[in-house]
Amino acid sequence: MIPKIKNCFSRSSPKRLWMLLVCVILSMTMFPGCQTSRDSSPPTLRVGVALYTQDDTFIATVSQNLERMAQDTEKEKNLKINLSIADGQSNQTVQMDQVDRFLSRGCDVLCVNIVDRTAAAVLIDKAREAQVPLIFFNREPVANDIQRWEQVYYVGAQAEESGTLQGQLVADAWLADQERWDRNGDGILQYVMLEGEPSHQDALLRSEYAIKALVEAEIEAERLASGTANWNRGQAAAKMSQWLSELNGQIEVVFSNNDDMALGAIDAIEEAGGDSPLVVGVDATAPALEAVKQGKLYGTVKNDAEGISRAMLDLILALTGGTDPSEVVELEDGHYVWLPYRPVTKNNLSEFLEGYVA
Ligand code: BGC
Ligand code: CA
């Protein structure tokens, strides 16, 4: 073989040059690992992304944004970013296997939307042993776990803030038009509360801080019912139907820890017919913005899905490119990236619809 190639070089007729070219191309496609460092193929980043479930509107939005932004970055930076996305099916054992697989195949960074927040320590120790930086997002492990290793990060938003903003939104509506919302005219705001998963930081804190904001606005409130619908539209519709029939016209406000459940409540209200109470959610997902536009959802609080994806990608690039993460994102305590929430009603809706330019 070698003398033949030498021959190709020594007697360079056009036909022989063509043969040489074919030989080179063939050997490059058959043995890609043998390409020299002078070839132009871009470096590849391998990123494992473990979602608690793919069947969640907000999480699906974060993951789609991440894919889109990674594709844009590939073009801009002559990089290849291999995102492997795994659906944890709300099962920590399933997710742990997925993480083990990512680590054993050799990924460069791990992004985890953990199913069970109390399982974080085990996961962190696995990542540390493999020396693979770990970015948690949206479901926050306790601070003690985050501090187990300096290469652990959390990207999310502060739940208290969303609760406060949601409560303020309701307080403003109530004070602006109490006659409309105070159905029984007793001066007291009667409400129901649809809660997310009981173990999720966002569920507990949103419920608590929404009501604190009413107290601060000096609005007297009475809780008629509360219960979990696990962030889920169908479960929320079922719960709301039950409350509508049990509470017979007494509900004046529906607080929901997220938009999917608020939309579930609206499904039940529409099914039952009659006047709608004031309904509020959190997230500002696409279907929720549509419901605000139609006047079915009074308002919501934007949970910055794009901001979360952007910060994760910036961290991924910094961690794999040898840049100090604090140069690309605002890091609190060396571990946390916090995205701000923003209230949304019909009044400022246009700022949140696609194509809006500030
Ligand atoms: C969102 C919910 C979502 C949950 C999943 C929350 O921050 O508001 O819509 O279901 O995260 O972890
Ligand atoms: Ca009342």
Side-chain angles (χ1 to χ4, degrees):
M1 188 77 192
I2 293 170
K4 269 188 189 164
I5 291 179
K6 267 188 178 167
N7 266 346
C8 288
F9 274 113
S10 53
R11 285 190 277 140
S12 50
S13 72
K15 195 172 164 199
R16 288 210 163 85
L17 276 177
W18 271 111
M19 275 174 63
L20 175 65
L21 198 64
V22 170
C23 279
V24 169
I25 290 171
L26 267 179
S27 70
M28 281 174 73
T29 45
M30 285 165 73
F31 308 107
C34 300
Q35 292 170 37
T36 67
S37 56
R38 270 176 290 145
D39 81 48
S40 60
S41 63
T44 303
L45 300 186
R46 294 154 308 167
V47 184
V49 183
L51 307 179
Y52 94 98
T53 172
Q54 224 149 22
D55 195 15
D56 176 301
T57 310
F58 181 72
I59 294 304
T61 311
V62 172
S63 131
Q64 284 154 13
N65 285 334
L66 189 62
E67 283 183 288
R68 181 176 42 79
M69 290 172 186
Q71 278 166 13
D72 293 347
T73 307
E74 283 186 328
K75 283 180 216 139
E76 284 160 21
K77 296 196 192 272
N78 188 33
L79 261 181
K80 181 95 195 70
I81 305 178
N82 273 351
L83 283 185
S84 302
I85 299 181
D87 177 359
Q89 297 159 35
S90 296
N91 181 326
Q92 192 54 62
T93 313
V94 169
Q95 187 174 65
M96 215 46 114
D97 286 347
Q98 293 166 340
V99 167
D100 283 340
R101 234 169 298 140
F102 284 144
L103 291 173
S104 67
R105 281 194 212 142
C107 64
D108 301 308
V109 183
L110 205 51
C111 299
V112 180
N113 178 227
I114 197 164
V115 176
D116 173 1
R117 296 163 59 219
T118 62
V122 184
L123 222 144
I124 292 167
D125 293 348
K126 282 173 190 271
R128 179 173 50 188
E129 207 182 303
Q131 288 294 299
V132 173
L134 175 55
I135 305 169
F136 287 103
F137 63 102
N138 167 263
R139 301 165 74 91
E140 185 188 346
V142 294
N144 271 348
D145 287 343
I146 294 274
Q147 272 138 26
R148 280 175 96 84
W149 187 33
E150 72 274 10
Q151 296 263 66
V152 177
Y153 300 89
Y154 178 72
V155 179
Q158 274 164 330
E160 297 88 338
E161 193 186 337
S162 51
T164 303
L165 291 171
Q166 191 190 52
Q168 285 171 350
L169 213 145
V170 170
D172 290 349
W174 180 267
L175 296 173
D177 196 358
Q178 190 162 336
E179 225 165 89
R180 172 170 176 205
W181 303 117
D182 186 11
R183 285 188 179 191
N184 64 356
D186 66 352
I188 302 171
L189 184 156
Q190 275 84 16
Y191 71 91
V192 293
M193 177 75 73
L194 280 165
E195 297 162 349
E197 294 160 280
S199 57
H200 196 302
Q201 80 281 347
D202 288 347
L204 308 171
L205 294 167
R206 283 178 189 163
S207 304
E208 185 187 338
Y209 279 78
I211 303 309
K212 272 193 182 160
L214 294 186
V215 173
E216 243 150 62
E218 298 183 350
I219 294 170
E220 196 178 337
E222 181 191 358
R223 189 177 69 199
L224 300 175
S226 67
T228 181
N230 295 306
W231 305 121
N232 180 281
R233 184 167 181 162
Q235 289 184 37
K239 191 133 273 176
M240 187 69 194
S241 296
Q242 187 194 332
W243 289 340
L244 283 169
S245 61
E246 283 170 9
L247 298 165
N248 197 20
Q250 293 175 63
I251 304 171
E252 294 170 343
V253 174
V254 180
F255 285 96
S256 173
N257 286 168
N258 81 341
D259 283 345
D260 267 4
M261 296 190 296
L263 294 172
I266 292 169
D267 294 339
I269 292 165
E270 286 185 337
E271 169 114 16
D275 281 351
S276 175
L278 185 154
V279 185
V280 284
V282 176
D283 283 337
T285 58
L289 293 177
E290 183 57 32
V292 173
K293 194 169 162 193
Q294 293 173 1
K296 293 177 180 175
L297 180 65
Y298 180 81
T300 182
V301 179
K302 168 103 178 156
N303 192 0
D304 191 354
E306 297 82 14
I308 292 175
S309 314
R310 167 62 52 207
M312 280 164 58
L313 188 58
D314 287 346
L315 273 176
I316 292 167
L317 295 173
L319 291 165
T320 51
T323 309
D324 182 346
S326 64
E327 282 176 25
V328 295
V329 289
E330 201 174 313
L331 265 190
E332 191 178 294
D333 290 343
H335 294 278
Y336 295 88
V337 182
W338 296 118
L339 281 305
Y341 281 104
R342 281 171 69 199
V344 189
T345 62
K346 228 174 181 171
N347 296 336
N348 64 348
L349 180 65
S350 61
E351 294 172 30
F352 298 87
L353 296 175
E354 219 167 302
Y356 173 79
V357 184

